[in-house]
Amino acid sequence: PKVHLDCWKRLVSICYNICNRVIPKSSLDVVEEEIRQFCVEFENLYGKDFVTPNLHLMTHIIQNIKDYGPINGFWCFGYERFNGYLIDFHY
């Protein structure tokens, strides 16, 4: 359905914008709002049961870019480390 396609397009737009080697500071607030809208839209479409920790961590990527620069310089090691913590978590 179109709503699912639109949600996917929003995610692709976010990824395109944050994966550039040069990211203007002026665009970071716009991308941050896109991320927020994507998360809300995703939850509305698929429900809370499909919201994963990675979706939450995505909301922090703009602050990471502000702190460390474009993500190609530090990439997603934080996400991978967090996945390691989850693997070791026993409930």
Side-chain angles (χ1 to χ4, degrees):
K2 184 173 179 344
V3 292
H4 295 270
L5 179 61
D6 290 343
C7 185
W8 174 253
K9 285 179 181 179
R10 187 181 305 276
L11 178 61
V12 170
S13 173
I14 291 165
C15 292
Y16 176 81
N17 285 306
I18 66 172
C19 288
N20 289 320
R21 290 186 181 273
V22 176
I23 303 172
K25 286 184 179 183
S26 60
S27 70
L28 291 177
D29 291 336
V30 174
V31 176
E32 190 169 35
E33 178 60 23
E34 284 287 311
I35 291 170
R36 189 196 66 72
Q37 289 176 4
F38 169 77
C39 291
V40 168
E41 188 175 355
F42 183 92
E43 184 178 339
N44 289 338
L45 283 173
Y46 303 108
K48 290 183 180 186
D49 291 341
F50 289 94
V51 175
T52 64
N54 280 345
L55 202 63
H56 168 77
L57 291 173
M58 191 170 126
T59 64
H60 296 284
I61 195 75
I62 297 301
Q63 188 59 49
N64 291 339
I65 292 170
K66 289 176 181 177
D67 291 343
Y68 305 112
I71 61 173
N72 67 327
F74 66 91
W75 210 238
C76 294
F77 297 122
Y79 292 105
E80 293 172 12
R81 184 175 60 246
F82 187 71
N83 286 334
Y85 295 149
L86 289 177
I87 289 170
D88 293 337
F89 181 75
H90 302 285
Y91 56 93

Coordinates of all heavy atoms in Angstrom, one line a residue:
P1 N 0.8 -1.2 0.0 CA 0.0 0.0 0.0 C 0.9 1.3 0.0 O 2.0 1.3 0.5 CB -0.8 -0.1 1.3 CG -0.8 -1.6 1.6 CD 0.5 -2.1 1.1
K2 N 0.3 2.4 -0.5 CA 1.0 3.6 -0.6 C 1.6 4.1 0.8 O 2.7 4.6 0.8 CB 0.1 4.7 -1.2 CG 0.8 6.0 -1.4 CD 0.0 7.0 -2.1 CE 0.6 8.3 -2.4 NZ 1.8 8.7 -1.7
V3 N 0.9 3.9 1.9 CA 1.4 4.3 3.2 C 2.6 3.6 3.5 O 3.6 4.2 4.1 CB 0.3 4.2 4.3 CG1 -0.8 5.2 4.1 CG2 -0.2 2.8 4.4
H4 N 2.7 2.3 3.2 CA 3.9 1.6 3.5 C 5.1 2.1 2.6 O 6.2 2.2 3.0 CB 3.7 0.1 3.3 CG 2.7 -0.5 4.2 ND1 3.1 -1.0 5.4 CD2 1.4 -0.6 4.2 CE1 2.0 -1.4 6.1 NE2 1.0 -1.2 5.3
L5 N 4.8 2.3 1.3 CA 5.8 2.8 0.4 C 6.3 4.2 0.9 O 7.5 4.5 0.9 CB 5.2 2.9 -1.0 CG 6.2 3.5 -2.1 CD1 7.4 2.6 -2.2 CD2 5.5 3.6 -3.4
D6 N 5.4 5.1 1.3 CA 5.8 6.4 1.8 C 6.7 6.3 3.0 O 7.7 7.0 3.2 CB 4.6 7.2 2.1 CG 3.8 7.7 0.9 OD1 4.4 7.6 -0.2 OD2 2.6 8.1 1.0
C7 N 6.4 5.3 3.9 CA 7.2 5.1 5.1 C 8.6 4.7 4.7 O 9.6 5.2 5.2 CB 6.6 4.1 6.0 SG 7.4 3.8 7.6
W8 N 8.7 3.8 3.7 CA 10.0 3.3 3.2 C 10.7 4.4 2.6 O 11.9 4.6 2.8 CB 9.7 2.1 2.2 CG 11.0 1.7 1.5 CD1 11.3 1.9 0.2 CD2 12.0 0.9 2.1 NE1 12.5 1.4 0.0 CE2 13.0 0.8 1.1 CE3 12.3 0.4 3.4 CZ2 14.2 0.1 1.3 CZ3 13.5 -0.3 3.6 CH2 14.4 -0.4 2.6
K9 N 10.0 5.3 1.8 CA 10.7 6.4 1.1 C 11.3 7.4 2.2 O 12.4 7.9 1.9 CB 9.7 7.2 0.2 CG 9.4 6.5 -1.1 CD 8.4 7.3 -1.9 CE 8.0 6.6 -3.1 NZ 7.0 7.5 -3.9
R10 N 10.6 7.5 3.3 CA 11.1 8.4 4.3 C 12.4 7.9 4.9 O 13.4 8.6 5.1 CB 10.1 8.6 5.4 CG 10.5 9.7 6.4 CD 9.5 9.8 7.5 NE 8.1 10.2 7.1 CZ 7.7 11.4 6.8 NH1 8.5 12.4 6.9 NH2 6.5 11.6 6.5
L11 N 12.4 6.5 5.1 CA 13.6 5.9 5.6 C 14.8 6.0 4.6 O 15.9 6.3 5.0 CB 13.4 4.4 6.0 CG 14.6 3.7 6.5 CD1 15.1 4.3 7.8 CD2 14.2 2.2 6.7
V12 N 14.5 5.8 3.4 CA 15.6 5.9 2.3 C 16.1 7.4 2.3 O 17.3 7.6 2.2 CB 15.0 5.5 1.0 CG1 16.0 5.8 -0.1 CG2 14.7 4.0 1.0
S13 N 15.2 8.3 2.4 CA 15.6 9.7 2.4 C 16.5 10.0 3.6 O 17.6 10.7 3.5 CB 14.4 10.6 2.4 OG 14.8 12.0 2.6
I14 N 16.2 9.5 4.8 CA 17.0 9.7 6.0 C 18.4 9.1 5.7 O 19.4 9.7 6.0 CB 16.3 9.1 7.2 CG1 15.1 9.8 7.6 CG2 17.3 9.0 8.4 CD1 14.1 9.1 8.5
C15 N 18.4 7.9 5.3 CA 19.7 7.2 5.1 C 20.5 7.9 4.0 O 21.7 8.1 4.2 CB 19.5 5.7 4.6 SG 18.8 4.7 5.9
Y16 N 19.9 8.4 3.0 CA 20.6 9.1 1.9 C 21.3 10.4 2.5 O 22.4 10.7 2.3 CB 19.7 9.5 0.8 CG 20.3 10.4 -0.3 CD1 21.1 9.8 -1.2 CD2 20.1 11.7 -0.3 CE1 21.7 10.5 -2.2 CE2 20.8 12.5 -1.2 CZ 21.6 11.9 -2.2 OH 22.2 12.7 -3.2
N17 N 20.5 11.1 3.4 CA 21.0 12.3 3.9 C 22.1 12.2 5.0 O 23.0 13.0 5.1 CB 19.8 13.2 4.5 CG 19.0 13.8 3.4 OD1 19.5 14.5 2.6 ND2 17.7 13.5 3.4
I18 N 22.0 11.1 5.8 CA 23.0 11.0 6.8 C 24.2 10.2 6.4 O 25.2 10.2 7.1 CB 22.4 10.3 8.1 CG1 22.0 8.8 7.8 CG2 21.3 11.1 8.7 CD1 21.6 8.1 9.1
C19 N 24.2 9.6 5.2 CA 25.4 8.8 4.7 C 26.3 9.7 3.8 O 27.3 9.1 3.3 CB 24.9 7.6 4.0 SG 24.2 6.3 5.1
N20 N 26.0 10.9 3.6 CA 26.9 11.8 2.8 C 28.2 12.0 3.5 O 28.2 12.1 4.8 CB 26.2 13.1 2.5 CG 25.1 12.9 1.5 OD1 25.2 12.2 0.6 ND2 24.0 13.6 1.7
R21 N 29.2 12.2 2.8 CA 30.5 12.5 3.4 C 30.5 14.0 4.0 O 31.3 14.2 4.9 CB 31.7 12.4 2.4 CG 31.9 10.9 2.0 CD 33.1 10.8 1.1 NE 33.3 9.5 0.7 CZ 34.1 8.6 1.5 NH1 34.6 9.0 2.6 NH2 34.2 7.4 1.0
V22 N 29.7 14.8 3.4 CA 29.6 16.2 3.9 C 28.1 16.4 4.3 O 27.3 16.2 3.4 CB 30.1 17.2 2.9 CG1 29.8 18.6 3.4 CG2 31.5 17.0 2.5
I23 N 27.9 16.8 5.5 CA 26.5 17.0 5.9 C 26.4 18.5 6.5 O 27.0 18.8 7.5 CB 26.1 16.0 7.0 CG1 26.2 14.6 6.6 CG2 24.7 16.3 7.5 CD1 26.1 13.6 7.6
P24 N 25.7 19.3 5.8 CA 25.6 20.7 6.3 C 24.8 20.7 7.6 O 23.8 20.0 7.8 CB 24.7 21.4 5.2 CG 24.8 20.5 4.0 CD 25.0 19.1 4.5
K25 N 25.3 21.5 8.6 CA 24.7 21.6 9.9 C 23.3 22.0 9.8 O 22.4 21.6 10.5 CB 25.5 22.5 10.8 CG 26.8 22.0 11.3 CD 27.5 22.9 12.2 CE 28.8 22.3 12.8 NZ 29.4 23.1 13.7
S26 N 23.0 22.9 8.8 CA 21.6 23.4 8.6 C 20.6 22.3 8.3 O 19.4 22.4 8.5 CB 21.6 24.4 7.5 OG 22.0 23.9 6.3
S27 N 21.1 21.2 7.7 CA 20.2 20.1 7.3 C 19.9 19.1 8.5 O 19.0 18.3 8.4 CB 20.7 19.3 6.1 OG 21.8 18.6 6.4
L28 N 20.8 19.1 9.5 CA 20.6 18.2 10.6 C 19.3 18.2 11.3 O 18.7 17.2 11.7 CB 21.8 18.3 11.6 CG 23.2 17.9 11.1 CD1 24.2 18.2 12.1 CD2 23.2 16.5 10.6
D29 N 18.8 19.4 11.6 CA 17.5 19.6 12.3 C 16.4 19.0 11.4 O 15.4 18.4 11.9 CB 17.2 21.0 12.6 CG 18.1 21.5 13.7 OD1 18.7 20.7 14.5 OD2 18.4 22.8 13.8
V30 N 16.5 19.2 10.1 CA 15.4 18.7 9.2 C 15.5 17.2 9.2 O 14.4 16.5 9.3 CB 15.7 19.2 7.7 CG1 14.7 18.6 6.7 CG2 15.5 20.8 7.7
V31 N 16.7 16.6 9.1 CA 16.8 15.1 9.1 C 16.3 14.6 10.5 O 15.7 13.5 10.5 CB 18.2 14.7 8.8 CG1 18.4 13.2 8.9 CG2 18.6 15.2 7.4
E32 N 16.6 15.3 11.6 CA 16.2 14.8 12.9 C 14.6 14.8 13.0 O 14.1 13.8 13.5 CB 16.7 15.8 14.0 CG 16.5 15.2 15.4 CD 17.3 16.0 16.4 OE1 17.5 17.3 16.2 OE2 17.8 15.4 17.3
E33 N 14.0 15.8 12.4 CA 12.5 15.8 12.3 C 12.0 14.6 11.5 O 11.0 14.0 11.8 CB 12.0 17.1 11.8 CG 10.5 17.2 11.7 CD 9.8 17.0 13.0 OE1 10.3 17.2 14.1 OE2 8.6 16.6 13.0
E34 N 12.7 14.3 10.4 CA 12.3 13.2 9.5 C 12.4 11.9 10.3 O 11.6 11.0 10.1 CB 13.2 13.2 8.3 CG 12.9 14.2 7.2 CD 11.6 13.8 6.4 OE1 11.5 12.7 6.0 OE2 10.8 14.8 6.3
I35 N 13.4 11.8 11.1 CA 13.6 10.5 11.9 C 12.5 10.4 12.8 O 11.9 9.3 13.0 CB 15.0 10.5 12.6 CG1 16.1 10.4 11.6 CG2 15.0 9.4 13.6 CD1 17.5 10.6 12.1
R36 N 12.1 11.5 13.5 CA 11.0 11.5 14.5 C 9.7 11.1 13.8 O 9.0 10.2 14.2 CB 10.9 12.8 15.1 CG 9.9 12.8 16.3 CD 9.4 14.2 16.7 NE 8.6 14.9 15.7 CZ 7.4 14.6 15.4 NH1 6.8 13.6 16.0 NH2 6.7 15.3 14.5
Q37 N 9.5 11.7 12.6 CA 8.3 11.4 11.9 C 8.2 9.9 11.4 O 7.2 9.2 11.4 CB 8.1 12.3 10.7 CG 7.8 13.7 11.0 CD 7.7 14.7 9.8 OE1 7.9 14.2 8.7 NE2 7.5 15.9 10.1
F38 N 9.4 9.4 11.0 CA 9.5 8.0 10.5 C 9.2 7.1 11.7 O 8.4 6.1 11.5 CB 10.9 7.7 10.0 CG 11.1 6.2 9.8 CD1 10.6 5.6 8.7 CD2 11.8 5.5 10.7 CE1 10.7 4.2 8.5 CE2 12.0 4.1 10.5 CZ 11.5 3.5 9.4
C39 N 9.7 7.3 12.9 CA 9.5 6.5 14.0 C 8.0 6.4 14.4 O 7.4 5.4 14.7 CB 10.3 6.9 15.2 SG 12.1 6.6 15.0
V40 N 7.4 7.6 14.4 CA 5.9 7.7 14.7 C 5.1 6.9 13.6 O 4.2 6.1 14.0 CB 5.5 9.1 14.8 CG1 3.9 9.2 14.9 CG2 6.1 9.8 16.0
E41 N 5.5 7.2 12.4 CA 4.8 6.5 11.3 C 4.9 5.0 11.3 O 4.0 4.2 11.1 CB 5.3 7.1 10.0 CG 4.5 6.7 8.7 CD 5.1 7.4 7.5 OE1 5.9 8.2 7.6 OE2 4.6 7.0 6.4
F42 N 6.2 4.6 11.6 CA 6.5 3.1 11.7 C 5.6 2.5 12.8 O 5.0 1.4 12.5 CB 8.0 2.9 12.0 CG 8.4 1.5 12.0 CD1 8.8 0.9 10.8 CD2 8.3 0.8 13.2 CE1 9.2 -0.5 10.8 CE2 8.7 -0.6 13.2 CZ 9.1 -1.2 12.0
E43 N 5.6 3.1 13.9 CA 4.8 2.5 15.0 C 3.3 2.5 14.7 O 2.6 1.5 15.0 CB 5.1 3.3 16.3 CG 4.4 2.7 17.5 CD 4.6 3.4 18.8 OE1 5.6 4.2 18.9 OE2 3.8 3.3 19.7
N44 N 2.8 3.5 14.1 CA 1.4 3.6 13.7 C 1.1 2.5 12.7 O 0.0 1.9 12.7 CB 1.0 4.9 13.2 CG 1.0 6.0 14.2 OD1 0.9 5.7 15.4 ND2 1.1 7.3 13.8
L45 N 2.0 2.2 11.8 CA 1.7 1.2 10.7 C 1.9 -0.2 11.2 O 1.1 -1.1 10.9 CB 2.7 1.4 9.5 CG 2.4 2.5 8.6 CD1 3.6 2.7 7.6 CD2 1.1 2.3 7.8
Y46 N 2.9 -0.5 12.0 CA 3.3 -1.8 12.4 C 3.0 -2.2 13.8 O 3.1 -3.4 14.2 CB 4.7 -2.1 12.0 CG 5.0 -1.8 10.5 CD1 5.7 -0.7 10.1 CD2 4.5 -2.7 9.5 CE1 6.0 -0.5 8.8 CE2 4.7 -2.4 8.2 CZ 5.5 -1.3 7.8 OH 5.7 -1.0 6.5
G47 N 2.8 -1.2 14.7 CA 2.5 -1.5 16.1 C 3.7 -1.5 16.9 O 4.9 -1.6 16.4
K48 N 3.5 -1.4 18.2 CA 4.6 -1.3 19.2 C 5.5 -2.6 19.2 O 6.7 -2.6 19.6 CB 4.1 -1.0 20.6 CG 3.6 0.4 20.7 CD 3.2 0.7 22.1 CE 2.7 2.1 22.2 NZ 2.3 2.5 23.5
D49 N 4.9 -3.7 18.9 CA 5.6 -5.0 18.9 C 6.7 -5.1 17.9 O 7.7 -5.9 18.1 CB 4.7 -6.2 18.7 CG 3.7 -6.4 19.9 OD1 3.9 -5.9 21.0 OD2 2.7 -7.1 19.6
F50 N 6.7 -4.2 16.9 CA 7.7 -4.2 15.9 C 8.7 -3.1 16.0 O 9.7 -3.0 15.2 CB 7.1 -4.2 14.5 CG 6.4 -5.5 14.1 CD1 5.1 -5.6 14.3 CD2 7.2 -6.5 13.6 CE1 4.4 -6.8 14.0 CE2 6.5 -7.7 13.2 CZ 5.2 -7.9 13.5
V51 N 8.6 -2.3 17.1 CA 9.5 -1.2 17.4 C 10.7 -1.9 18.1 O 10.5 -2.4 19.2 CB 8.9 -0.1 18.2 CG1 9.9 0.9 18.6 CG2 7.7 0.5 17.4
T52 N 11.9 -1.8 17.5 CA 13.1 -2.4 18.1 C 14.0 -1.4 18.7 O 13.9 -0.2 18.5 CB 13.8 -3.2 16.9 OG1 14.3 -2.2 16.0 CG2 13.0 -4.2 16.2
P53 N 15.0 -1.9 19.4 CA 16.0 -0.9 20.0 C 16.7 -0.1 18.9 O 17.1 1.0 19.1 CB 17.0 -1.9 20.7 CG 16.2 -3.0 21.1 CD 15.2 -3.2 20.0
N54 N 16.9 -0.7 17.7 CA 17.6 0.0 16.7 C 16.8 1.2 16.2 O 17.3 2.2 15.8 CB 17.9 -0.9 15.5 CG 19.1 -1.8 15.6 OD1 19.9 -1.5 16.5 ND2 19.2 -2.8 14.8
L55 N 15.5 1.1 16.3 CA 14.6 2.2 15.9 C 14.8 3.3 16.9 O 14.9 4.5 16.6 CB 13.1 1.8 15.9 CG 12.2 2.6 15.1 CD1 12.6 2.7 13.6 CD2 10.8 2.2 15.2
H56 N 14.9 3.0 18.2 CA 15.2 4.0 19.2 C 16.6 4.6 19.0 O 16.8 5.8 19.1 CB 15.1 3.4 20.6 CG 15.6 4.3 21.7 ND1 15.0 5.4 22.1 CD2 16.8 4.3 22.3 CE1 15.7 6.0 23.0 NE2 16.9 5.4 23.1
L57 N 17.6 3.7 18.8 CA 19.0 4.2 18.6 C 19.1 5.2 17.4 O 19.9 6.1 17.4 CB 19.9 3.1 18.4 CG 20.1 2.2 19.7 CD1 20.9 1.0 19.4 CD2 20.8 3.0 20.8
M58 N 18.2 5.0 16.4 CA 18.2 5.8 15.2 C 17.9 7.3 15.6 O 18.4 8.2 15.0 CB 17.1 5.3 14.3 CG 17.2 5.9 12.9 SD 16.1 5.0 11.9 CE 15.0 6.3 11.3
T59 N 17.2 7.5 16.7 CA 16.8 8.8 17.1 C 18.0 9.6 17.7 O 18.0 10.8 17.8 CB 15.7 8.8 18.2 OG1 16.1 8.2 19.4 CG2 14.4 8.2 17.7
H60 N 19.1 8.8 18.0 CA 20.3 9.5 18.5 C 21.4 9.7 17.5 O 22.4 10.3 17.8 CB 20.9 8.6 19.6 CG 20.0 8.4 20.8 ND1 19.9 9.4 21.8 CD2 19.2 7.4 21.2 CE1 19.0 8.9 22.7 NE2 18.6 7.7 22.3
I61 N 21.1 9.3 16.2 CA 22.2 9.4 15.2 C 22.6 10.9 14.9 O 23.7 11.2 14.7 CB 21.8 8.6 13.9 CG1 23.0 8.4 13.0 CG2 20.7 9.3 13.2 CD1 23.9 7.4 13.5
I62 N 21.6 11.8 15.0 CA 21.9 13.2 14.7 C 22.9 13.8 15.7 O 23.8 14.5 15.4 CB 20.6 14.0 14.5 CG1 19.8 13.5 13.4 CG2 21.0 15.5 14.4 CD1 20.5 13.5 12.0
Q63 N 22.6 13.4 17.0 CA 23.5 13.9 18.0 C 24.9 13.3 17.8 O 25.9 14.0 18.1 CB 23.0 13.6 19.4 CG 23.8 14.2 20.6 CD 23.9 15.7 20.5 OE1 22.9 16.4 20.3 NE2 25.1 16.3 20.6
N64 N 25.0 12.0 17.4 CA 26.3 11.4 17.1 C 27.0 12.1 16.0 O 28.2 12.4 16.1 CB 26.1 9.9 16.8 CG 25.7 9.1 17.9 OD1 25.9 9.5 19.1 ND2 25.1 7.9 17.6
I65 N 26.2 12.5 15.0 CA 26.8 13.3 13.9 C 27.3 14.6 14.4 O 28.4 15.1 14.0 CB 25.8 13.4 12.7 CG1 25.6 12.1 12.1 CG2 26.3 14.4 11.7 CD1 24.4 12.1 11.1
K66 N 26.6 15.3 15.2 CA 27.0 16.6 15.8 C 28.3 16.4 16.6 O 29.2 17.3 16.6 CB 25.9 17.2 16.6 CG 24.7 17.7 15.8 CD 23.6 18.2 16.7 CE 22.4 18.7 15.9 NZ 21.3 19.2 16.7
D67 N 28.4 15.3 17.4 CA 29.5 15.1 18.2 C 30.7 14.6 17.5 O 31.9 15.0 17.8 CB 29.2 14.0 19.3 CG 28.2 14.5 20.3 OD1 28.0 15.8 20.4 OD2 27.6 13.7 21.0
Y68 N 30.6 13.7 16.5 CA 31.7 13.0 15.9 C 31.9 13.3 14.4 O 32.8 12.8 13.8 CB 31.6 11.5 16.1 CG 31.4 11.1 17.5 CD1 30.2 10.6 18.0 CD2 32.5 11.3 18.4 CE1 30.1 10.3 19.3 CE2 32.3 11.0 19.7 CZ 31.1 10.5 20.2 OH 31.0 10.1 21.5
G69 N 31.0 14.0 13.7 CA 31.1 14.3 12.3 C 30.3 13.3 11.5 O 29.6 12.4 12.1
P70 N 30.5 13.3 10.2 CA 29.7 12.4 9.3 C 29.9 10.9 9.7 O 31.0 10.5 10.1 CB 30.3 12.7 7.9 CG 30.8 14.1 8.0 CD 31.3 14.2 9.4
I71 N 28.9 10.1 9.5 CA 29.0 8.8 10.0 C 30.0 7.9 9.3 O 30.3 6.8 9.9 CB 27.6 8.1 10.1 CG1 27.0 8.0 8.7 CG2 26.7 8.8 11.0 CD1 25.7 7.2 8.7
N72 N 30.4 8.2 8.1 CA 31.4 7.4 7.5 C 32.7 7.5 8.3 O 33.6 6.6 8.1 CB 31.6 7.8 6.0 CG 32.3 9.2 5.9 OD1 32.0 10.1 6.7 ND2 33.0 9.3 4.9
G73 N 32.9 8.4 9.2 CA 34.1 8.5 10.0 C 34.0 7.6 11.3 O 35.1 7.2 11.8
F74 N 32.9 7.3 11.7 CA 32.8 6.5 12.9 C 31.8 5.3 12.7 O 31.8 4.4 13.5 CB 32.3 7.3 14.2 CG 31.0 7.9 14.1 CD1 29.9 7.1 14.6 CD2 30.7 9.1 13.5 CE1 28.6 7.7 14.5 CE2 29.5 9.6 13.5 CZ 28.4 8.9 14.0
W75 N 31.0 5.4 11.7 CA 30.0 4.4 11.3 C 29.1 3.9 12.4 O 28.8 4.7 13.2 CB 30.7 3.2 10.6 CG 29.8 2.6 9.5 CD1 29.4 1.3 9.5 CD2 29.2 3.3 8.4 NE1 28.5 1.2 8.4 CE2 28.4 2.3 7.7 CE3 29.2 4.6 8.0 CZ2 27.6 2.7 6.6 CZ3 28.4 4.9 6.8 CH2 27.7 3.9 6.2
C76 N 28.8 2.7 12.5 CA 27.7 2.2 13.4 C 28.3 1.3 14.5 O 27.6 0.4 14.9 CB 26.6 1.6 12.6 SG 25.7 2.7 11.5
F77 N 29.5 1.5 14.9 CA 30.0 0.6 15.9 C 29.2 0.6 17.2 O 29.1 -0.4 17.8 CB 31.5 1.0 16.2 CG 32.4 0.8 15.0 CD1 33.1 1.9 14.5 CD2 32.5 -0.4 14.4 CE1 33.9 1.8 13.4 CE2 33.3 -0.6 13.3 CZ 34.0 0.5 12.8
G78 N 28.6 1.7 17.6 CA 27.8 1.7 18.7 C 26.6 0.8 18.6 O 26.2 0.1 19.6
Y79 N 26.0 0.7 17.5 CA 24.8 -0.2 17.3 C 25.3 -1.6 17.4 O 24.6 -2.5 18.0 CB 24.2 0.0 15.9 CG 23.5 1.4 15.7 CD1 24.1 2.4 15.0 CD2 22.3 1.6 16.3 CE1 23.4 3.6 14.9 CE2 21.6 2.8 16.2 CZ 22.2 3.8 15.5 OH 21.6 5.0 15.3
E80 N 26.4 -1.9 16.8 CA 26.9 -3.3 16.8 C 27.3 -3.7 18.2 O 27.1 -4.8 18.6 CB 28.1 -3.4 15.8 CG 27.7 -3.3 14.4 CD 28.9 -3.2 13.4 OE1 30.0 -3.5 13.9 OE2 28.7 -2.9 12.3
R81 N 27.9 -2.8 19.0 CA 28.3 -3.1 20.4 C 27.0 -3.4 21.2 O 26.9 -4.3 22.0 CB 29.1 -2.0 21.0 CG 29.5 -2.2 22.4 CD 30.4 -1.1 22.9 NE 29.8 0.1 23.0 CZ 30.1 1.2 22.2 NH1 31.2 1.1 21.4 NH2 29.5 2.3 22.4
F82 N 25.9 -2.5 20.9 CA 24.7 -2.7 21.6 C 24.1 -4.1 21.3 O 23.5 -4.7 22.2 CB 23.7 -1.6 21.3 CG 22.4 -1.6 22.1 CD1 22.4 -1.2 23.4 CD2 21.3 -2.0 21.5 CE1 21.3 -1.3 24.2 CE2 20.1 -2.0 22.2 CZ 20.1 -1.6 23.6
N83 N 24.2 -4.5 20.1 CA 23.7 -5.8 19.7 C 24.4 -6.9 20.5 O 23.8 -7.9 20.9 CB 23.8 -6.1 18.2 CG 22.7 -5.3 17.4 OD1 21.7 -4.9 17.9 ND2 23.1 -5.0 16.2
G84 N 25.7 -6.7 20.7 CA 26.5 -7.7 21.5 C 25.9 -7.7 22.9 O 25.9 -8.8 23.5
Y85 N 25.6 -6.6 23.5 CA 25.0 -6.6 24.8 C 23.7 -7.3 24.9 O 23.4 -8.1 25.8 CB 24.8 -5.1 25.3 CG 26.0 -4.3 25.5 CD1 26.0 -2.9 25.4 CD2 27.2 -4.9 25.9 CE1 27.1 -2.2 25.6 CE2 28.3 -4.1 26.1 CZ 28.3 -2.8 25.9 OH 29.4 -2.0 26.1
L86 N 22.9 -7.2 23.8 CA 21.6 -7.9 23.8 C 21.8 -9.4 23.7 O 21.0 -10.1 24.3 CB 20.7 -7.3 22.6 CG 20.2 -5.9 22.7 CD1 19.5 -5.5 21.5 CD2 19.3 -5.8 23.9
I87 N 22.7 -9.8 22.9 CA 23.0 -11.2 22.8 C 23.3 -11.8 24.2 O 22.9 -13.0 24.5 CB 24.1 -11.5 21.8 CG1 23.6 -11.2 20.4 CG2 24.6 -12.9 21.9 CD1 24.7 -11.2 19.3
D88 N 24.1 -11.1 25.0 CA 24.5 -11.6 26.3 C 23.4 -11.4 27.4 O 23.6 -12.0 28.5 CB 25.8 -10.8 26.8 CG 27.0 -11.2 25.9 OD1 27.0 -12.2 25.3 OD2 27.9 -10.4 25.9
F89 N 22.4 -10.7 27.1 CA 21.3 -10.5 28.0 C 20.4 -11.7 28.2 O 20.0 -12.3 27.2 CB 20.4 -9.3 27.5 CG 19.3 -9.0 28.5 CD1 19.6 -8.3 29.7 CD2 18.0 -9.3 28.2 CE1 18.6 -8.0 30.6 CE2 17.0 -9.0 29.0 CZ 17.3 -8.3 30.2
H90 N 20.2 -12.2 29.4 CA 19.4 -13.4 29.6 C 18.2 -12.9 30.4 O 18.3 -12.3 31.5 CB 20.2 -14.4 30.4 CG 21.4 -14.9 29.7 ND1 21.4 -15.7 28.7 CD2 22.7 -14.5 29.9 CE1 22.6 -15.9 28.2 NE2 23.5 -15.2 29.0
Y91 N 17.0 -13.3 30.0 CA 15.8 -12.9 30.7 C 15.0 -14.2 31.1 O 15.2 -15.2 30.7 CB 15.0 -12.0 29.9 CG 14.6 -12.5 28.5 CD1 13.4 -13.1 28.3 CD2 15.4 -12.3 27.4 CE1 13.1 -13.6 27.1 CE2 15.1 -12.7 26.2 CZ 13.9 -13.4 26.0 OH 13.6 -13.8 24.8

